[in-house]
Amino acid sequence: MAKRAVSIYDIARLAGVSTATVSNVLNEKGSYSAKTRDLVLRIAREQGYVANFAAKSLREASTKTVAILTPDVSNDFFSTLVLGVEGRLREAGYSSYICNTANDQERESSYVLDLLSRQVDGIVYIGGMTRVPIEANVDVPVVHIDHTGTTGVRREVFVGNDMPSLSYDMTATLFGHGCEHVALASVSASLYRTAEHDQAAGYYNYLSQHGIRLDKNLVLEGAHRQPSIVEAEGLVRGCLDDGFEFDGVVALGDRVALGVVNALKSHGIKVGRDVRVIGMDDSIYSRISTPAISTVNRHTDEMAERGVEALLSMLAGDDPVDDHIVVGYEVVERTTTLG
Amino acid sequence: MAKRAVSIYDIARLAGVSTATVSNVLNEKGSYSAKTRDLVLRIAREQGYVANFAAKSLREASTKTVAILTPDVSNDFFSTLVLGVEGRLREAGYSSYICNTANDQERESSYVLDLLSRQVDGIVYIGGMTRVPIEANVDVPVVHIDHTGTTGVRREVFVGNDMPSLSYDMTATLFGHGCEHVALASVSASLYRTAEHDQAAGYYNYLSQHGIRLDKNLVLEGAHRQPSIVEAEGLVRGCLDDGFEFDGVVALGDRVALGVVNALKSHGIKVGRDVRVIGMDDSIYSRISTPAISTVNRHTDEMAERGVEALLSMLAGDDPVDDHIVVGYEVVERTTTLG
DNA sequence: TTGAAAGCGATACCAC
DNA sequence: GTGGTATCGCTTTCAA
């Protein structure tokens, strides 16, 4: 901004009125004559006036802006959530900062500091996990959507599925189709493991409740060092090369499932018959795959809606009524389990 | 922000120094004793002080922030560019607002107004097109990366591939493999058509230069009303159902190519042998497909680098030296052309 | 080394 | 209906 922009003072001077009047007209507040209104608006337009947001939010101590932090905007599951949240907030008059943390803690905490400094009115975490507590002396409301880990602020709400139950149902689906040796594939499960949000828990629970021995060779866990699809493909390849046998795979994520399917296909295994696979997310990855991947629809729309609802209520000053919102889900069967 | 946050005044009072000194310490400017520094920093930390960005940028008339506008963050090709640009800007001390315009003009112009009001120091358009000129009385530098359309600001730079040449080479690749009836598939080509950035031009040019008659039935153009993959699949299905024959498809985009491949497969056509397909972007979509899709690597990294370079130079106050930066590309052949 | 005070642009109270 | 002015939090100049 080389040239100093046109300010409310310039408009006031040119219109021969006070800044108070200009402000009133521009914000449709207070009272003014139709004549002054037209004059002020005309001049503002002529001069290409743009309000100075910094001045406004300094004065009002509010930015009408919310930060959305997500580990990976390019993951369809997350970006669907992000856009759902962003759109709803926009309808409510809030702008959003979309922040891609890339699962990098340092990056994330520098982001948060920056955001607080920018006076965001609220924070929404979508997906992934966060170990970084918010230590600044502020009272921002925080909403977590499909996100593990707390920030320690006074008002925070968690929105998500009952993950242990969800993965239990995934596992049950495979055994229900007659599978006997079901593997678990994940690229990050161990990182996110907490009591409530343990994506792997349902798999273990199902096995133990049905007296099925856990075969550690069939627990394939990556460390999230490569794109999930690639990493998952490698895990399954390795498992096959080592000669371990299985007829079903519970994949914690659609991208993981896609990698699994690709690995199986390249080994000449008939997916959906020889080996059944189920993913999780009902994102684009499961839909575009051939064969189409069975998965779990996690009701992202409802997550976005409930999350925004909770945030707006906190932004209005209320304390959360329900700080653990559980959203439903449903298994969507496609070719990789139906054959 | 219910509670008023801790300000520099509070720190000054508690430390028994002036706000000027506190400011100096916090910004490592001016001079102060080691004792004062430690005292101020300690109190700031104890109080959970966070600088008020609004006040700072109001005073400094700069936000050190750039806006990145893109039609679809969830498209791997765009998000790769977005993250490339964002990362480089971050290294240079700039934050980014990532804005998803969803190819919606109204949304986009409201975004731009909001961004200007927020005093962004610069704007980067990535992908898609823009018909909306920037009319406000500001002097923001603008960079367009793989983006059609200008904003009319004083300083703007265009970065991208030579699209007519690129699509020419795509077409040539298919004919080089012996194809005789090559179709063109696109979900948005007509929207973006301009002299320099015409993705379809190379296809037409190749045909006319080689005396090949253009078959209008083989020009499949969608209108971007559904996700590209789905729309492209529908276009090809329709063409096949109508009985039109072809043995090659130039797909303007990897997502389009993926839809094409899926449609062909579901019609029992052997992709890579009966019909060859080439996409464009070298994004995740071409890599995860089976068969793997031939495509064009468009050097996104270089685009991001050159774009940021140009923007930084303009932000430093310079006028652009070269306002049309052309980046190279290369055809990447995979199974859908090699068989 | 430290501090007093002006000023960035917009808002809103209160007086006229 | 309109205007004067204090104020938001921070930086910066100039003086002490």
Side-chain angles (χ1 to χ4, degrees):
Chain A
M1 300 270 176
K3 178 173 42 176
R4 170 111 89 263
V6 187
S7 85
I8 205 173
Y9 286 95
D10 302 314
I11 311 293
R13 186 168 36 75
L14 291 167
V17 298
S18 76
T19 60
T21 299
V22 175
S23 174
N24 278 337
V25 171
L26 261 24
N27 295 294
E28 302 178 15
K29 280 183 183 166
S31 55
Y32 39 81
S33 68
K35 214 175 100 188
T36 348
R37 169 169 46 79
D38 295 344
L39 179 65
V40 168
L41 290 179
R42 188 173 56 77
I43 295 185
R45 205 173 316 114
E46 281 173 9
Q47 299 294 317
Y49 170 78
V50 186
N52 184 317
F53 184 79
K56 189 179 197 124
S57 42
L58 171 58
R59 179 62 225 231
E60 301 193 327
S62 157
T63 53
K64 281 281 185 184
T65 302
V66 166
I68 302 178
L69 284 90
T70 186
D72 183 5
V73 279
S74 74
N75 182 330
D76 181 63
F77 177 70
F78 296 145
S79 66
T80 300
L81 273 169
V82 168
L83 297 181
V85 168
E86 199 235 10
R88 285 178 172 81
L89 283 172
R90 176 161 286 267
E91 283 168 19
Y94 284 85
S95 304
S96 304
Y97 292 153
I98 300 175
C99 308
N100 196 82
T101 62
N103 264 318
D104 175 335
Q105 283 199 55
E106 205 175 321
R107 191 188 173 88
E108 179 166 322
S109 59
S110 93
Y111 249 135
V112 171
L113 233 49
D114 183 56
L115 292 165
L116 292 176
S117 167
R118 282 167 195 264
Q119 316 280 104
V120 293
D121 294 339
I123 295 181
V124 180
Y125 282 94
I126 293 182
M129 84 146 295
T130 299
R131 292 189 196 72
V132 191
I134 294 181
E135 284 173 339
N137 187 8
V138 292
D139 183 29
V140 262
V142 174
V143 169
H144 306 263
I145 298 181
D146 185 40
H147 176 258
T148 309
T150 69
T151 59
V153 298
R154 195 175 62 79
R155 296 179 294 163
E156 54 186 335
V157 172
F158 300 82
V159 182
N161 306 114
D162 177 342
M163 295 312 288
S165 158
L166 192 152
S167 49
Y168 183 98
D169 288 351
M170 290 168 72
T171 313
T173 300
L174 294 182
F175 279 103
H177 281 295
C179 294
E180 299 189 328
H181 302 282
V182 173
L184 175 73
S186 153
V187 294
S188 52
S190 55
L191 297 173
Y192 300 100
R193 204 155 281 163
T194 65
E196 287 158 343
H197 195 95
D198 188 344
Q199 303 191 342
Y203 172 79
Y204 295 111
N205 293 346
Y206 185 94
L207 295 187
S208 70
Q209 284 180 26
H210 292 76
I212 300 164
R213 197 182 58 79
L214 171 69
D215 181 349
K216 293 214 168 153
N217 294 316
L218 297 185
V219 175
L220 314 176
E221 288 202 359
H224 216 356
R225 290 205 202 85
Q226 305 169 68
S228 314
I229 300 175
V230 179
E231 188 160 14
E233 191 167 340
L235 288 172
V236 172
R237 281 233 167 85
C239 187
L240 290 168
D241 290 343
D242 289 347
F244 299 119
E245 295 194 352
F246 52 85
D247 53 10
V249 183
V250 169
L252 299 183
D254 274 357
R255 292 172 132 176
V256 177
L258 187 52
V260 170
V261 167
N262 282 348
L264 293 172
K265 282 199 295 190
S266 74
H267 269 250
I269 292 168
K270 186 99 179 117
V271 181
R273 298 189 47 132
D274 302 342
V275 176
R276 295 177 206 266
V277 178
I278 187 165
M280 173 182 97
D281 291 347
D282 195 12
S283 66
I284 196 164
Y285 305 103
S286 53
R287 273 173 266 135
I288 63 179
S289 163
T290 42
I293 298 174
S294 298
T295 186
V296 180
N297 180 316
R298 299 177 56 192
H299 296 193
T300 47
D301 236 50
E302 191 183 342
M303 284 195 205
E305 185 167 346
R306 304 291 302 276
V308 169
E309 199 179 297
L311 185 64
L312 290 175
S313 120
M314 291 193 282
L315 287 170
D318 302 340
D319 280 0
V321 200
D322 180 2
D323 61 3
H324 273 83
I325 298 172
V326 178
V327 169
Y329 60 85
E330 65 224 5
V331 171
V332 178
E333 294 210 59
R334 302 201 178 109
T335 318
T336 60
T337 55
L338 298 178
Chain B
M1 300 269 173
K3 180 174 44 177
R4 171 109 90 266
V6 185
S7 83
I8 207 173
Y9 284 94
D10 302 312
I11 310 293
R13 186 168 36 76
L14 290 167
V17 298
S18 75
T19 60
T21 299
V22 175
S23 174
N24 278 337
V25 171
L26 260 24
N27 296 294
E28 301 179 12
K29 279 182 182 167
S31 56
Y32 40 80
S33 67
K35 216 175 99 187
T36 335
R37 168 169 46 79
D38 294 345
L39 180 64
V40 168
L41 290 179
R42 187 170 57 78
I43 295 184
R45 204 172 317 115
E46 281 173 9
Q47 299 295 317
Y49 170 78
V50 186
N52 184 316
F53 184 79
K56 189 180 197 121
S57 44
L58 172 57
R59 177 63 224 234
E60 300 191 327
S62 158
T63 54
K64 282 282 186 183
T65 301
V66 166
I68 302 178
L69 284 91
T70 187
D72 182 5
V73 278
S74 74
N75 182 329
D76 181 63
F77 178 69
F78 296 145
S79 65
T80 301
L81 272 169
V82 168
L83 297 182
V85 168
E86 199 236 11
R88 285 178 172 79
L89 283 172
R90 177 161 285 266
E91 282 168 20
Y94 284 85
S95 303
S96 304
Y97 291 154
I98 300 174
C99 307
N100 195 83
T101 62
N103 264 318
D104 174 336
Q105 282 199 56
E106 204 175 321
R107 190 190 173 87
E108 180 166 321
S109 61
S110 94
Y111 250 134
V112 171
L113 233 50
D114 183 57
L115 292 166
L116 292 176
S117 164
R118 281 167 196 263
Q119 318 278 105
V120 292
D121 295 338
I123 294 181
V124 180
Y125 283 94
I126 292 182
M129 83 147 295
T130 298
R131 293 190 196 71
V132 190
I134 294 181
E135 284 173 339
N137 186 8
V138 292
D139 182 31
V140 262
V142 174
V143 169
H144 305 263
I145 299 181
D146 184 40
H147 176 259
T148 309
T150 69
T151 59
V153 298
R154 194 176 61 80
R155 296 179 294 163
E156 54 186 336
V157 172
F158 300 82
V159 182
N161 306 114
D162 177 342
M163 294 313 287
S165 157
L166 191 151
S167 49
Y168 183 99
D169 288 351
M170 289 167 73
T171 314
T173 301
L174 294 182
F175 279 102
H177 281 295
C179 295
E180 300 189 329
H181 303 282
V182 173
L184 176 72
S186 153
V187 294
S188 53
S190 55
L191 296 173
Y192 300 100
R193 205 155 281 163
T194 65
E196 286 159 342
H197 196 95
D198 189 344
Q199 303 191 342
Y203 173 78
Y204 295 110
N205 293 346
Y206 186 93
L207 296 186
S208 70
Q209 284 181 26
H210 292 75
I212 300 164
R213 196 182 58 80
L214 173 68
D215 181 348
K216 292 216 170 152
N217 295 317
L218 297 186
V219 175
L220 314 176
E221 288 202 359
H224 216 356
R225 289 204 204 87
Q226 305 168 68
S228 314
I229 299 175
V230 178
E231 188 160 15
E233 192 167 338
L235 287 172
V236 172
R237 280 232 166 85
C239 186
L240 290 168
D241 290 343
D242 290 347
F244 299 118
E245 295 193 352
F246 53 85
D247 54 9
V249 183
V250 170
L252 299 183
D254 273 358
R255 291 171 131 177
V256 176
L258 188 52
V260 169
V261 167
N262 283 348
L264 293 172
K265 282 199 295 189
S266 73
H267 269 249
I269 293 168
K270 185 96 180 120
V271 181
R273 298 188 48 132
D274 302 341
V275 176
R276 293 177 207 266
V277 178
I278 186 165
M280 173 182 97
D281 292 348
D282 194 14
S283 65
I284 196 164
Y285 305 103
S286 54
R287 272 173 268 136
I288 64 178
S289 162
T290 41
I293 298 173
S294 298
T295 187
V296 181
N297 180 317
R298 300 176 56 191
H299 296 194
T300 46
D301 236 51
E302 191 183 343
M303 285 195 204
E305 185 167 345
R306 303 292 301 274
V308 169
E309 200 179 294
L311 185 64
L312 290 175
S313 120
M314 291 193 283
L315 287 171
D318 302 340
D319 280 359
V321 202
D322 179 3
D323 61 3
H324 273 83
I325 298 171
V326 177
V327 169
Y329 60 85
E330 66 225 5
V331 172
V332 178
E333 295 210 58
R334 303 205 177 105
T335 317
T336 61
T337 55
L338 298 178

